[in-house]
C-alpha cells in the first residue's frame, strides 16, 4: 500500500467519481478504504461491509471494470484509475480475509455493554452471598457451607466458567462479582489465602462475611484492613473463635492459670480487626448450629456494638 497514492478526497476534488460514473455504494466503500488507510477504521469492519452486502461487492467489481474501460479510452487517466483499482483490490482482500481466530469479538464491545453481559450471565444467581470453590488449605477449621434448601438460598456457589475464558474477561467478571455480591469465607485461613493471592479481590472486595476462626485470623484481618473498597463486614462468631491463643495470652497463661472461657475481647485477631476503617455497615452473626457451638447472644451483641463504634465512627473523628 503506497503512501503516495491519492486519497479519496483528492479524487473527489478532481470529480473522478462522477466522470467514471461510480455508484454511491462504490463511493462509500472507497471513503471507508481511505479511513482504513488513516487508521480510523479496522480492516475487519471494512471487509464486513463487503461480506454483508451483495450490492457492495458488485459495486467494487463494477468499479474495476469501469476503470479498466476508462484506461483504454483515456490513457492520460491511467494513474488515477490504477489508484482506484488498487483500492478496490485491497477492499476485496479485506472482505476475503478470514476472521482473526485469536481475538474475541466480545472484547471489542464497549465496557458498558460488557457489564450488561456480565449482569445477564449472573442473573441466575438468586442469593446475595457467594461462596468461592474451596482451595486446598493446610488447616483444620471444619469447612462447612449452608445447603441450598430454599427457593432463595442465603449462600450460593457460583460456576466460574466465564472467568476462565481469557485474562481480561476474568478480571472484568470478577470485579463485577466482587462489587455486587457478598463473599462468604468458611474460616480466616481461607480469607487470608484468597486476599494474599488475588489482587483483583483485594482491589474490588466490597462486602464480606467470614467465620472468625482459625490460626490465621490476625493475618486475615490485617489483609482485610487493606481492602480500600470494603464497605460491609459480617463477622460470624462461635466457640471456636477463641480456640487459638494470642501471643500475649500464651505468655500470660504461663503465670496466670484460669479455667474461665476465653473472652471475645481476647480472641486471636481482635486487635487487627479493630484497625479496619471506612465501613458503612457492620454486623456480627451466630454460627449455624450444625457447624459448631454458638456463643451467647450477649457476646454477639457486645462485639457488634464494639465493631460499630470502632469501625464506623472513629474514622470520622
Amino acid at each position: 500500500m503506497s503512501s503516495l497514492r491519492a486519497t479519496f478526497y483528492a479524487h473527489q476534488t478532481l470529480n473522478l467519481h462522477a466522470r467514471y460514473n461510480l455508484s454511491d455504494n462504490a463511493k462509500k466503500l472507497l471513503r471507508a478504504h481511505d479511513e482504513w488507510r488513516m487508521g480510523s477504521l479496522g480492516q475487519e469492519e471494512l471487509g464486513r461491509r463487503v461480506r454483508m452486502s451483495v450490492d457492495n461487492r458488485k459495486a467494487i467489481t463494477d468499479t474495476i471494470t469501469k476503470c479498466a474501460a476508462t484506461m483504454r479510452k483515456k490513457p492520460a487517466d491511467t494513474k488515477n484509475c490504477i489508484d482506484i483499482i488498487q483500492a478496490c483490490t485491497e477492499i476485496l482482500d479485506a472482505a476475503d480475509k478470514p476472521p482473526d481466530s485469536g481475538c474475541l469479538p466480545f472484547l471489542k464491545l464497549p465496557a458498558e455493554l460488557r457489564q450488561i453481559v456480565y449482569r445477564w450471565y449472573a442473573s441466575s444467581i438468586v442469593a446475595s452471598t457467594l461462596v468461592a470453590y474451596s482451595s486446598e488449605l493446610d488447616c483444620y477449621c471444619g469447612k462447612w457451607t449452608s445447603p441450598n434448601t430454599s427457593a432463595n438460598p442465603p449462600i450460593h456457589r457460583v460456576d466460574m466458567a466465564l472467568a476462565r475464558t481469557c485474562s481480561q474477561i476474568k478480571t472484568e467478571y470478577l470485579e463485577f462479582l466482587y462489587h455486587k455480591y457478598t463473599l462468604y469465607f468458611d474460616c480466616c485461613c481461607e480469607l487470608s489465602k484468597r486476599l494474599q493471592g488475588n489482587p483483583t479481590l483485594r482491589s474490588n472486595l466490597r462486602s464480606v462475611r467470614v467465620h472468625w476462626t482459625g490460626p490465621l485470623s490476625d493475618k486475615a484481618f490485617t489483609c482485610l484492613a487493606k481492602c480500600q473498597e470494603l464497605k460491609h463486614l459480617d463477622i460470624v462468631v462461635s466457640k471456636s473463635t477463641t480456640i487459638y491463643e494470642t501471643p500475649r495470652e500464651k505468655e500470660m497463661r504461663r503465670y496466670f492459670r484460669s479455667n474461665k472461657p476465653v473472652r471475645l475481647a481476647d480472641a486471636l485477631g481482635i486487635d487487627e480487626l479493630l484497625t479496619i476503617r471506612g465501613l458503612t455497615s457492620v454486623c456480627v452473626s451466630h454460627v449455624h448450629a450444625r457447624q459448631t457451638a454458638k456463643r451467647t447472644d450477649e457476646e454477639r451483641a457486645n462485639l457488634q456494638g464494639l465493631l460499630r463504634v470502632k469501625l464506623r465512627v472513629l474514622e470520622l473523628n
Side-chain angles (χ1 to χ4, degrees), residues 116-127 173 176 180-181:
I116 293 175
V117 173
Y118 298 144
R119 285 198 295 272
W120 172 84
Y121 186 83
S123 61
S124 61
I125 301 176
V126 296
Y173 183 56
F176 165 77
K180 183 176 177 61
Y181 297 97

Side-chain angles (χ1 to χ4, degrees), residues 279-296:
L279 303 185
T280 58
S281 62
V282 182
C283 67
V284 178
S285 307
H286 282 303
V287 72
H288 195 283
R290 288 188 294 176
Q291 183 176 4
T292 186
K294 291 183 178 182
R295 304 194 79 90
T296 65

Side-chain angles (χ1 to χ4, degrees), residues 120-302:
W120 172 84
Y121 186 83
S123 61
S124 61
I125 301 176
V126 296
S128 59
T129 302
L130 307 183
V131 179
Y133 290 117
S134 296
S135 57
E136 295 297 328
L137 290 173
D138 296 327
C139 73
Y140 304 93
C141 298
K143 298 293 187 297
W144 177 87
T145 301
S146 174
N148 295 339
T149 57
S150 63
N152 295 298
I155 295 178
H156 187 86
R157 288 191 179 274
V158 180
D159 184 2
M160 301 301 292
L162 183 62
R164 292 189 286 270
T165 53
C166 73
S167 59
Q168 182 176 344
I169 291 179
K170 175 183 177 180
T171 299
E172 292 180 349
Y173 183 56
L174 290 180
E175 287 178 356
F176 165 77
L177 290 180
Y178 298 156
H179 274 74
K180 183 176 177 61
Y181 297 97
T182 297
L183 268 64
Y184 173 77
F185 296 91
D186 286 315
C187 67
C188 288
C189 304
E190 180 77 26
L191 176 61
S192 177
K193 181 174 181 179
R194 296 283 184 175
L195 289 177
Q196 292 184 39
N198 189 339
T200 304
L201 177 62
R202 291 197 306 270
S203 301
N204 297 279
L205 183 63
R206 287 195 175 184
S207 180
V208 62
R209 185 169 188 254
V210 57
H211 180 200
W212 184 2
T213 185
L216 300 181
S217 297
D218 51 347
K219 293 180 174 59
F221 293 142
T222 296
C223 293
L224 199 61
K226 299 177 182 178
C227 296
Q228 299 298 318
E229 294 294 319
L230 185 65
K231 299 302 178 185
H232 172 74
L233 176 61
D234 184 354
I235 297 292
V236 180
V237 293
S238 67
K239 291 291 187 181
S240 62
T241 299
T242 50
I243 287 180
Y244 299 94
E245 299 175 328
T246 64
R248 180 179 181 277
E249 185 181 2
K250 289 181 180 179
E251 179 68 17
M252 291 300 103
R253 282 187 179 275
R254 293 174 56 188
Y255 306 100
F256 301 96
R257 301 294 180 180
S258 175
N259 294 325
K260 294 182 179 180
V262 180
R263 304 175 303 166
L264 281 176
D266 297 320
L268 178 65
I270 184 65
D271 294 328
E272 292 76 13
L273 178 60
L274 295 178
T275 64
I276 298 175
R277 293 292 184 271
L279 303 185
T280 58
S281 62
V282 182
C283 67
V284 178
S285 307
H286 282 303
V287 72
H288 195 283
R290 288 188 294 176
Q291 183 176 4
T292 186
K294 291 183 178 182
R295 304 194 79 90
T296 65
D297 288 336
E298 180 182 11
E299 289 178 299
R300 186 207 65 80
N302 290 344

